[in-house]
Amino acid sequence: MAQTLETLSRHSETLKSIRGIVHTMKTLSAINATPYEHAARSIEAYHQTILQGFAAFAYRTGNITLRQDEALEHLVIVFGSDHGLCGNYNEILAGSVKQHCQAEITSKHRLLCIGAQMNDALDDQGLTPDAVLLPPASADGIGRLAGDIVTRIDRFSRGQPLYRLAVTLAFTQRGEQGAREPVTLRLLPLEPALLQREKHWNSRSLPDYSMDAEALLSSLIRSHIFASVFRASAEAMVTENSARLALMQQAEQSVDERIEDVKGELRSVRQTEITSELMDVITGFEALKKTRKS
């Protein structure tokens, strides 16, 4: 069915409005990703200090082997998106979490979910979180969320030492060439390499401490947990905005292509109407000539 010039003009204006909205969303995604990326870099530097603290503790104390009994419960903390317009971000991560839970059948899995939409994605996979937390609305909210999660891990421990817990972080991280990939990172129990004594200390000032060794180790572990959770949350927010940016770029390109198609249709309809009007003028002129001759 041929469209009228008025319909096509209205369609063109609508597409231009949509393009403006898409362009705005793309710009916001690029702007919003920057503070989270800065937060991820900052916490990485802090985390390196904590890891150096583990190395100093192990060098001063000697190789440490922590008792790691088989955990009866395994806490999985899942960082999802709750803002939409980022494709199947939550669904891919939920599938990865299900595979992780199926691979470890020796313990009962409990889930702590970040984001209501992530909760829906987990529910589609047959997984029911014990609690759902709100994702950070800004980079300043990452610290609040990380502190809340550390408190919940303390409750999950039920008074036993943190190093005996089984805790995994599930989030989406940046891959190569702008890609993103889901990852499940074991947080607890600690990696044995963290408490292995180095043969040589790269300084003439040997590490030492005066506080109780158990209290110091507990403080290092809590700081390690906080930094890891903070980084996972920041990385999840960076990849969420990156995914939204990529989708908005695709949408903008599609709208641009559609606008060009409509412009072509407009030119065709205008040319058809002009030709029709010229034919009417010529026909009328010929009719007048015949009338005068007769």
Side-chain angles (χ1 to χ4, degrees):
M1 181 179 177
Q3 299 190 65
T4 64
L5 186 62
E6 182 181 355
T7 303
L8 287 171
S9 298
R10 191 160 53 243
H11 192 186
S12 178
E13 291 301 319
T14 301
L15 286 172
K16 289 178 181 178
S17 298
I18 294 174
R19 189 192 185 285
I21 295 173
V22 171
H23 182 74
T24 301
M25 291 300 299
K26 185 180 76 170
T27 303
L28 287 175
S29 297
I31 293 173
N32 290 338
T34 302
Y36 294 117
E37 188 168 2
H38 289 167
R41 291 177 181 173
S42 298
I43 201 63
E44 188 65 30
Y46 171 74
H47 198 193
Q48 287 300 319
T49 302
I50 300 302
L51 296 180
Q52 289 176 2
F54 276 113
F57 180 82
Y59 189 88
R60 171 65 177 81
T61 309
N63 287 337
I64 302 170
T65 302
L66 299 176
R67 178 184 169 187
Q68 296 181 352
D69 300 328
E70 188 68 32
L72 299 178
E73 291 185 323
H74 188 160
L75 179 63
V76 182
I77 305 171
V78 188
F79 295 86
S81 166
D82 213 15
H83 298 101
L85 296 177
C86 52
N88 55 353
Y89 181 96
N90 290 320
E91 288 73 17
I92 292 177
L93 182 58
S96 178
V97 171
K98 183 177 182 179
Q99 291 178 2
H100 173 77
C101 294
Q102 290 176 338
E104 297 186 3
I105 59 176
T106 57
S107 58
K108 175 185 176 183
H109 288 85
R110 296 176 59 185
L111 299 178
L112 177 59
C113 174
I114 315 301
Q117 294 187 24
M118 187 73 244
N119 181 36
D120 294 338
L122 291 171
D123 186 62
D124 292 339
Q125 296 288 342
L127 302 173
T128 304
D130 290 54
V132 180
L133 303 180
L134 293 176
S138 66
D140 294 335
I142 299 178
R144 169 198 59 80
L145 177 63
D148 191 1
I149 291 175
V150 172
T151 301
R152 290 175 182 270
I153 291 176
D154 277 337
R155 294 176 189 169
F156 176 70
S157 70
R158 298 188 181 93
Q160 62 180 318
L162 292 175
Y163 57 80
R164 294 185 183 178
L165 300 181
V167 180
T168 296
L169 303 178
F171 57 98
T172 304
Q173 69 177 6
R174 289 165 288 181
E176 296 180 356
Q177 298 179 350
R180 64 182 189 275
E181 56 186 10
V183 60
T184 52
L185 177 67
R186 188 180 82 168
L187 179 59
L188 296 172
L190 292 175
E191 292 289 345
L194 283 177
L195 297 175
Q196 295 302 306
R197 188 179 189 273
E198 296 180 0
K199 293 183 179 180
H200 303 285
W201 187 257
N202 295 325
S203 173
R204 289 185 298 176
S205 300
L206 299 180
D208 196 7
Y209 57 84
S210 57
M211 64 184 295
D212 180 71
E214 186 173 349
L216 176 57
L217 178 59
S218 177
S219 177
L220 285 171
I221 293 174
R222 287 183 61 86
S223 298
H224 170 63
I225 292 172
F226 178 85
S228 299
V229 170
F230 190 105
R231 180 187 175 279
S233 179
E235 187 69 19
M237 296 305 296
V238 171
T239 52
E240 174 194 333
N241 282 283
S242 297
R244 187 175 296 109
L245 174 61
L247 284 176
M248 291 301 103
Q249 287 176 330
Q250 294 176 8
E252 188 177 48
Q253 183 178 357
S254 297
V255 172
D256 285 341
E257 291 174 356
R258 184 56 188 149
I259 288 175
E260 289 301 318
D261 291 340
V262 172
K263 284 181 178 179
E265 292 180 32
L266 271 170
R267 286 192 293 266
S268 178
V269 171
R270 284 197 186 102
Q271 187 61 47
T272 300
E273 289 191 358
I274 291 171
T275 302
S276 177
E277 291 175 358
L278 286 174
M279 291 302 298
D280 289 342
V281 171
I282 293 172
T283 301
F285 179 72
E286 293 293 335
L288 286 174
K289 284 175 62 177
K290 289 180 182 180
T291 301
R292 289 179 180 178
K293 288 181 180 180
S294 60

